[in-house]
Amino acid sequence: SACRTAPIQHHASWASRPDSWRLDTVLAHVGTGTDPATGAITTPIHLSTAFGHPGLQQSTGYDYTRTASPTRDVLQDALARLDGGTAGFALTSGMAAVQLTVTALAPHGSRIVALEDLYGGTYRYLKGLADDGAYEVDFVVGEAGLHQALRRPAALVIIETPTNPMMNELDIAEVARWTHAAGALLAVDNTFYTPVICRPLELGADIAVYSATKYLAGHNDVMAGAVVVADPGLGERVQYQLNTTGATLGPFDAFLLLRGLKTLSLRMQRHEANARRVAEFLRADERVVRVLYPGRSGMVSFELARGLDVAAFLGAVRVFTFAESLGGVESLVTCPAVQTHADVPPATRVAYGLTDQLLRLSVGIEDADDLVADLRQALDRAGTTA
Ligand SMILES: *Cc1c(COP(=O)(O)O)cnc(C)c1O
């Protein structure tokens, strides 16, 4: 029942997908063949929150939706498969996934080592835990900071690669070695790269964490989070905590995420090709003093020269929308200092290069010429360099 520890459920349909299938085939077939009774090509949305029992001490495998849902199970099996993990979990948001990672895997009072330039919401959450005395949290800068901090024992290490919005890439395999030597587990927030570009578990990480609201879902129309673990024992801990605390993804949202995943690989190819064009254009423009693009995925940060008016730029864009998310088919532009990273103290963010003139683009799948033309005219409206 929902009150006891529930074993991790796998959907029977997944057994029909051979291990030899490559990523694009797995993605296109996410959710197919899940309903033998009708042959439905896509996954049925099972809204029932309760499931009838065949008899005393008997279950169809489904009792209550918080514990297990047939629609969510199909999604969770897909998430596990995409990352090469033993179990995947779908949650109500990326922040729920971050919180679950901490509470399921780091004992109360233990030491957490985290990058300082994490997603603003993750920074805020961890800072709050530290301020409340619930955990000892050390915020560090870059690989050098992680290496130094992991000379002392810890329970959990949380990183993002590339970092947001500074786009610094970290060597996951190296960080995993330091992490394990310190007796800790490594959680990698892989929201920006997705399993199409990077598979953290294969590089030694213990947990991959996602805001599935972003690229995984990909259409700016569903909020979700995901956690994938390598070790079955960790999976049991995550399952226990998730079933107990309740942030499991609902069936409608699970369906939307399944639907989004089918085109993930295609979308990432186009996001990346467009981002390359945009980065090239920005690098050649004297009104832009810095372009941060790691060469993969669709996220590009850049800094407007002094004298250029950020508000005028944001007011002028037409193909891009001034909005604070990323990873959807539509291009968005964000000003991290006042939006996603407003909770990071100004001195902290400026020290790592996040100035008020820094803008972050989520480059969508539109025509690259239209994207470049839009940026050019917005730069014209932003004025001239000081
Ligand atoms: C958006 C985001 C989150 C938080 O996810 P939500 O779905 O908004 O709760 C966490 N990490 C990164 C890198 C993000 O971009």
Side-chain angles (χ1 to χ4, degrees):
S1 89
C3 303
R4 282 181 288 119
T5 306
I8 295 170
Q9 188 83 24
H10 294 283
H11 198 280
S13 69
W14 210 252
S16 67
R17 278 151 187 70
D19 285 341
S20 63
W21 280 11
R22 292 172 182 83
L23 188 73
D24 286 7
T25 308
V26 171
L27 283 169
H29 281 263
V30 155
T32 54
T34 53
D35 187 22
T38 65
I41 297 296
T42 59
T43 310
I45 305 173
H46 290 275
L47 292 175
S48 188
T49 52
F51 298 84
H53 304 299
L56 194 62
Q57 304 286 11
Q58 290 177 357
S59 168
T60 60
Y62 295 99
D63 306 325
Y64 187 58
T65 287
R66 168 158 43 74
T67 307
S69 138
T71 310
R72 192 171 64 240
D73 278 354
V74 174
L75 169 63
Q76 295 193 145
D77 286 349
L79 293 168
R81 172 80 176 247
L82 295 177
D83 253 308
T86 57
F89 302 91
L91 295 92
T92 50
S93 72
M95 285 317 302
V98 169
Q99 192 207 21
L100 185 81
T101 299
V102 170
T103 55
L105 304 180
H108 197 86
S110 63
R111 178 168 180 254
I112 297 172
V113 175
L115 282 184
E116 193 172 61
D117 54 339
L118 288 173
Y119 173 72
T122 304
Y123 176 87
R124 179 173 62 208
Y125 172 60
L126 294 173
K127 185 76 173 56
L129 291 177
D131 291 348
D132 290 347
Y135 290 88
E136 180 191 342
V137 186
D138 284 346
F139 291 102
V140 301
V141 179
E143 284 180 9
L146 286 166
H147 198 187
Q148 170 75 25
L150 290 170
R151 290 189 183 144
R152 280 207 295 131
L156 182 66
V157 175
I158 303 178
I159 65 167
E160 286 170 21
T161 177
T163 59
N164 170 18
M166 304 312 294
M167 308 297 167
N168 295 312
E169 284 188 300
L170 279 88
D171 182 339
I172 293 175
E174 191 78 335
V175 175
R177 277 192 284 279
W178 304 331
T179 299
H180 295 150
L185 297 169
L186 177 61
V188 177
D189 181 332
N190 195 34
T191 300
F192 275 31
Y193 274 172
T194 83
V196 172
I197 295 173
C198 173
R199 290 151 67 94
L201 303 186
E202 291 177 359
L203 297 169
D206 302 284
I207 310 119
V209 181
Y210 294 91
S211 169
T213 314
K214 316 295 170 53
Y215 286 113
L216 296 186
H219 294 74
N220 289 320
D221 60 4
V222 55
M223 170 141 288
V227 170
V228 182
V229 297
D231 176 70
L234 288 187
E236 296 298 338
R237 280 159 70 184
V238 169
Q239 165 70 6
Y240 175 80
Q241 189 74 16
L242 182 53
N243 183 42
T244 302
T245 54
T248 48
L249 193 65
F252 271 122
D253 291 336
F255 174 82
L256 284 173
L257 190 40
L258 280 164
R259 180 175 168 137
L261 282 175
K262 287 172 178 285
T263 54
L264 178 65
S265 182
L266 270 180
R267 285 187 283 109
M268 293 314 288
Q269 284 170 37
R270 178 67 168 237
H271 282 301
E272 191 168 295
N274 280 355
R276 287 214 167 110
R277 267 291 300 285
V278 162
E280 223 168 82
F281 163 75
L282 292 171
R283 283 198 176 110
D285 196 298
E286 64 189 10
R287 294 166 294 188
V288 174
V289 290
R290 201 152 61 121
V291 179
L292 308 171
Y293 178 58
R296 303 193 282 175
S297 194
M299 301 300 297
V300 179
S301 295
F302 68 103
E303 194 174 331
L304 290 177
R306 272 196 299 149
L308 263 77
D309 185 340
V310 169
F313 180 92
L314 294 172
V317 288
R318 290 293 172 266
V319 183
F320 283 85
T321 301
F322 172 37
E324 55 184 285
S325 191
L326 66 104
V329 293
E330 305 90 353
S331 290
L332 305 181
V333 54
T334 306
C335 183
V338 299
Q339 294 181 292
T340 52
H341 290 64
D343 289 314
V344 181
T348 302
R349 62 176 166 76
V350 170
Y352 66 71
L354 203 174
T355 68
D356 293 346
Q357 294 289 99
L358 190 89
L359 296 174
R360 191 193 72 187
L361 303 176
S362 172
V363 180
I365 65 166
E366 300 94 335
D367 188 298
D369 289 337
D370 288 335
L371 293 171
V372 166
D374 193 42
L375 293 171
R376 184 181 288 117
Q377 65 82 25
L379 283 167
D380 291 345
R381 299 283 199 86
T384 50
T385 53

